[in-house]
Amino acid sequence: MQRALVAGGAGFIGSHLCEKLLNDGYAVTAVDNLITGSEKNIEHLKSNPNFSFVNQDISIGNLKLDIGNLKFIFHLASPASPNAKSPNSYINHPLETLRVNSLGTERLLELAKKDGARFLFASTSEIYGDPTVSPQPETYFGNVNPNGVRSVYDEAKRYGEAITMAYGRTYGVDVRIIRIFNTYGPHMQKDDGRVVSNFIVQALNNSPITLYGDGSQTRSFCYVDDMVDGFCRAMFSENTNREVFNIGNPDERTVAELATIIKEAVGSSSEIITEDLPEDDPKKRRPDITKAKSVLGWEPKVNLSDGLAKTIEYFKTV
Ligand code: UDP
């Protein structure tokens, strides 16, 4: 049985990826230090004999990952929320975020080199910063503040991309990068401050929905099942070595529109209030997915209302 390693396997997207890989017949090892992930996300996988979990920070100490028949390494380990109000955000874990995307990436690339495994680095639309081009194609170099509060994530991911490609060019490691755009679904952390989870939790509690700024900034929201399908196609398709793919849903909405959609979907009596816009908050974000469509045959299938309905049901249970 071929084994896949999922770094960040107890996180939101990582836990769904572990489940899909197990269903597709792979043995899966998840590694996570649970800084922002949760063992609850993988509880249902633990009875599967092909699944194992290692609680470790991949950035430090001896990696306890000497596992047999390792063929695929997915690196998703990183805090990912920019919300300074949340203790789980990368703003509140700046050095851990820098390390896991730099040292952590290098150590997993070394493992890929040693074991001859394929490697996938989970990058982010944040590497485009506050884009001056929309939608953003993979060829756009971005507009990033190199030392602002978000730089600990944006620049760390940019470094992660650079070292991933360097291992490909220098050592011939079989590498690919995907840039994740805003993603939502079950297993999002209730309190990590992302817009979808915040709005749903607020709407379910009939408490104020907090719109940051005037809500005219845009995001494009991808349901997690579509995202995980993109991960698998990028890893397992043959023509992906040293390629970069945007994976996200081009269905662009203003954040104000999202607040109204969620309020109505929940049937909530919440009022919508405004709070200050966070520093360096991108004004727009929308993926150009032409490349993923043509090379991977990938495009998102779940529309916003269906995905939100499933996510709302999940948040009723946690
Ligand atoms: N946002 C908001 N209210 C919230 C949380 C977030 O208006 O309670 C806004 C945030 O300022 C940003 C957008 O929603 O413009 C998306 O934020 P999120 O943290 O989910 O992800 P980002 O795309 O900024 O990484």
Side-chain angles (χ1 to χ4, degrees):
M1 205 172 206
Q2 295 188 321
R3 181 169 293 278
L5 175 68
V6 180
F12 159 44
I13 300 176
S15 58
H16 287 277
L17 178 60
C18 289
E19 186 169 341
K20 162 125 175 90
L21 292 168
L22 288 166
N23 288 340
D24 288 352
Y26 296 93
V28 176
T29 298
V31 58
D32 204 299
N33 67 348
L34 305 177
I35 179 177
T36 58
S38 165
E39 264 188 285
K40 279 192 203 136
N41 290 340
I42 51 170
E43 215 51 65
H44 62 300
L45 306 178
K46 284 189 173 165
S47 58
N48 188 323
N50 297 323
F51 180 73
S52 55
F53 173 60
V54 179
N55 183 342
Q56 178 170 30
D57 182 345
I58 56 159
S59 310
I60 49 175
N62 286 331
L63 281 184
K64 298 177 233 160
L65 298 173
D66 219 352
I67 42 187
N69 217 11
L70 181 58
K71 295 279 186 264
F72 305 100
I73 300 177
F74 295 85
H75 179 15
L76 296 77
S78 178
S81 168
N83 196 328
K85 292 175 186 158
S86 163
N88 291 329
S89 66
Y90 62 70
I91 306 279
N92 289 313
H93 293 290
L95 295 166
E96 293 90 337
T97 303
L98 283 160
R99 284 189 198 117
V100 76
N101 288 296
S102 54
L103 296 174
T105 305
E106 181 164 8
R107 285 152 58 94
L108 292 184
L109 282 162
E110 274 297 312
L111 190 62
K113 181 173 148 226
K114 176 170 87 59
D115 288 4
R118 277 191 184 188
F119 184 86
L120 182 152
F121 181 62
S123 185
T124 168
S125 55
E126 280 279 315
I127 67 101
Y128 298 122
D130 189 8
T132 55
V133 167
S134 199
Q136 297 85 53
E138 290 86 349
T139 47
Y140 177 53
F141 292 164
N143 175 36
V144 176
N145 177 343
N147 50 33
V149 286
R150 289 175 93 114
S151 65
V152 296
Y153 186 64
D154 303 7
E155 294 294 359
K157 287 290 186 189
R158 290 170 76 99
Y159 176 89
E161 290 202 8
I163 195 167
T164 297
M165 285 304 195
Y167 265 70
R169 293 189 197 104
T170 309
Y171 299 119
V173 177
D174 188 338
V175 298
R176 72 271 302 116
I177 293 166
I178 68 171
R179 296 185 179 144
I180 303 173
F181 283 67
N182 293 66
T183 304
Y184 69 99
H187 299 185
M188 291 183 95
Q189 294 283 74
K190 204 173 179 171
D191 58 355
D192 82 351
R194 307 311 296 262
V195 67
V196 173
S197 45
N198 267 12
F199 285 2
I200 292 178
V201 171
Q202 290 162 344
L204 286 171
N205 292 333
N206 294 313
S207 57
I209 293 178
T210 53
L211 204 56
Y212 298 164
D214 62 6
S216 63
Q217 68 272 33
T218 68
R219 296 292 186 274
S220 309
F221 298 97
C222 183
Y223 189 65
V224 65
D225 290 356
D226 285 329
M227 181 55 56
V228 163
D229 181 34
F231 267 82
C232 290
R233 286 175 192 247
M235 180 64 103
F236 300 122
S237 304
E238 279 316 314
N239 40 1
T240 57
N241 188 19
R242 277 184 240 171
E243 295 292 343
V244 181
F245 300 98
N246 285 337
I247 303 289
N249 193 322
D251 180 9
E252 183 178 18
R253 310 288 179 131
T254 67
V255 171
E257 195 184 346
L258 182 74
T260 306
I261 291 171
I262 290 179
K263 182 179 161 172
E264 280 171 11
V266 170
S268 170
S269 61
S270 295
E271 58 171 330
I272 298 176
I273 61 166
T274 54
E275 294 189 357
D276 288 345
L277 193 65
E279 208 176 315
D280 289 339
D281 196 282
K283 284 179 271 311
K284 53 181 175 277
R285 186 180 291 149
R286 179 180 179 212
D288 179 333
I289 58 166
T290 311
K291 185 172 172 185
K293 271 188 189 162
S294 65
V295 179
L296 306 176
W298 177 87
E299 63 183 320
K301 297 194 174 69
V302 181
N303 68 35
L304 187 61
S305 60
D306 291 349
L308 284 176
K310 290 183 192 176
T311 312
I312 290 165
E313 283 314 303
Y314 170 77
F315 277 109
K316 284 182 183 166
T317 67
V318 293

